Amino acid sequence: MKPELLLIGGATPRTMDALEKICTVHRGSEIDDWDQFLDRHADAIQAVATNGHDGLPSEIMARLPNLKVISCYGVGYDAIDAKTAASRGIIVTHTPNVLNNDVANTAIMLLLAVSRRLVRDDAYVRAGKWSGFGSAPLTQSIEGKPVGILGMGRIGETIARKLKAFDCDISYHSRSAKPHLPYTYYDKLADMAKAVDYLIAITPGGSETRHIVNREVIDALGPQGTLINIARGSVVDEPELVKALSDGRLGAAGLDVFEYEPDVPKQLFTMDNVVLLPHVGSATEETRQAMGDLMVENIVRYFTEGKVTSPVPECSALAAGGG
Ligand code: NAP
């Protein structure tokens, strides 16, 4: 008998085919009455496939007594309580590394789009203003500029490496210094924000990083500074960000993520020093396919070999058989 799997969120036909080869899949999107569904199927469900945005609500995890593996499509898993899962012997997996390049490219695309006012100037041409009013106002170069990266992990390091092509002067803030890297470490985020023109946030979300980019950090970045948030909306104090942009205390922003997605503060819509994206950091066909394949691989390996490929840190001892 195939193990039963609960799918939360969508899946491509390729991912569905692969999951259905090994599991009996219950699609969360087709469940109208969760209480009734759980009463009937909770005991049989051994696996959950989900994504970083939807995660697995704690109240549903609590009702799945025989859950063994949660496979997350995405590297950020702040919407899954991995500590509780580990304490119950449930392995949580995610999809690190395969998305580093495209997420880093999105960060750099936002950096350039904001500094060169790409969206404003595109609108300028489309509105016929070029012929009416002449050249658009000058913009800012990123060449050789100081850039601070908040979160020097897999993606932060990829961004830093790519920004070297623009001769940017890279510094970073993370929980620990990385002496092997040729960048300046700041142990206080506000100090780094004061020293740079561009601040790129690329940490995990969750309670530990909630509003780590607060008013003090935004004011340290200042009216000439630009914030790029490609991490999670929760990392930035969004009302403070909107206020700082409205008051001119912050120069500009490029945002891929928001605190209450898909809701975006409407005040941002009229600001031409802001570029907005609908959380598409990793959203290329190539990267999404690689993420889907890794998400499936973790489930297939769990049920065929008792192992997984990419456990989250909270579950790595469990995945290695360390309990
Ligand atoms: P990673 O390799 O685990 O790196 C995370 C980095 O954040 C590490 O350098 C870590 O510091 C730092 N960090 C964690 N907590 C911190 C804190 N409280 N204060 C300061 N720094 C802290 O993760 P990754 O693969 O690079 O991914 C990072 C995050 O990017 C994901 O968790 C996700 O939220 C986000 N993301 C967004 C998109 C998108 O579509 N926009 C796509 C992919 C990922 P240490 O090195 O000192 O531990």
Side-chain angles (χ1 to χ4, degrees), residues 74-78 94-97 99-100 102-103 106 150-158 172-178 185 189 201-210 212 229-232 235 256-257 261 279-283 288 291 313:
V75 67
Y77 56 97
D78 42 295
H94 62 158
T95 60
N97 294 317
L99 41 58
N100 292 352
D102 270 323
V103 179
T106 305
L150 164 56
M152 188 50 82
R154 291 171 291 251
I155 302 171
E157 231 185 290
T158 309
Y172 68 100
H173 168 76
S174 52
R175 289 175 297 196
S176 55
K178 327 272 170 214
Y185 176 66
L189 175 58
I202 185 65
T203 58
S207 56
E208 214 192 298
T209 55
R210 186 168 183 277
I212 192 172
N229 187 11
I230 187 93
R232 283 286 183 267
V235 168
D256 182 46
V257 287
E261 294 172 9
H279 200 150
V280 290
S282 64
R288 287 291 170 87
M291 290 162 62

